[in-house]
Amino acid sequence: MPRRREARPLDEQYGDLVRVALMEARPAGLNTRQLITATSLTKSQVTRGIRHLRDVGAAEHLTPIIWRRRDGYLFSDEPADWIEYEKKQFRLILGRLTRMITGTLDPHLARYPDDEWAQLASAQLTGVRATLAQLTK
């Protein structure tokens, strides 16, 4: 009895379509609408494909996908482009973390200064916050 071929996960198929579209557009990039048109995928499927490419690309040492407002998503061979993108991502994470600390954790500590968990979280996140701040410079 022949073995049934296992279906590939959808995210992998979406990722393949997005990768081919971006490779064909090189060195230019494609915004989300252009990727939707080029791949015949929905916006959600394009997003899942990009996410899959980022996960797989890192594992397979491929050129990273970056995003720029003026170019959209693209593969760049320039380390300076990667660094610029990474710094922007760290700024986003730093902003979210800062809002969580000032909007939730600080008021928690103000009301319950002896709360062991809040003290631990504050101590750990202070270091993370400082590290992210350095990485964005």
Side-chain angles (χ1 to χ4, degrees):
M1 184 191 242
R3 237 174 119 184
R4 289 185 72 192
R5 183 174 172 224
E6 291 183 29
R8 291 181 353 173
L10 289 177
D11 288 355
E12 185 176 344
Q13 292 175 11
Y14 302 154
D16 289 344
L17 291 170
V18 170
R19 182 184 56 76
V20 167
L22 290 174
M23 292 299 289
E24 288 176 354
R26 272 180 107 166
L30 297 172
N31 65 36
T32 302
R33 285 188 184 180
Q34 291 169 323
L35 280 169
I36 290 168
T37 301
T39 61
S40 299
L41 297 174
T42 66
K43 183 177 181 181
S44 172
Q45 291 168 334
V46 166
T47 301
R48 288 169 59 187
I50 290 167
R51 188 178 319 126
H52 177 77
L53 276 178
R54 285 191 169 137
D55 293 344
V56 171
E60 294 180 358
H61 307 291
L62 299 174
T63 304
I65 295 176
I66 63 170
W67 182 88
R68 290 192 291 224
R69 183 180 302 251
R70 70 178 181 272
D71 301 316
Y73 294 97
L74 65 125
F75 290 113
S76 172
D77 291 322
E78 296 297 322
D81 292 340
W82 307 339
I83 292 169
E84 176 187 349
Y85 176 76
E86 291 159 354
K87 285 182 177 186
K88 286 180 183 176
Q89 293 304 304
F90 288 135
R91 274 197 252 355
L92 288 171
I93 295 166
L94 177 60
R96 288 186 69 187
L97 179 61
T98 299
R99 284 189 301 279
M100 197 284 297
I101 291 169
T102 59
T104 306
L105 191 55
D106 287 349
H108 179 162
L109 279 169
R111 288 191 70 182
Y112 300 100
D114 295 331
D115 186 314
E116 191 175 316
W117 187 91
Q119 289 175 355
L120 173 65
S122 179
Q124 294 298 314
L125 292 178
T126 298
V128 172
R129 191 176 181 184
T131 299
L132 287 170
Q134 287 296 316
L135 290 171
T136 61
K137 292 181 179 178

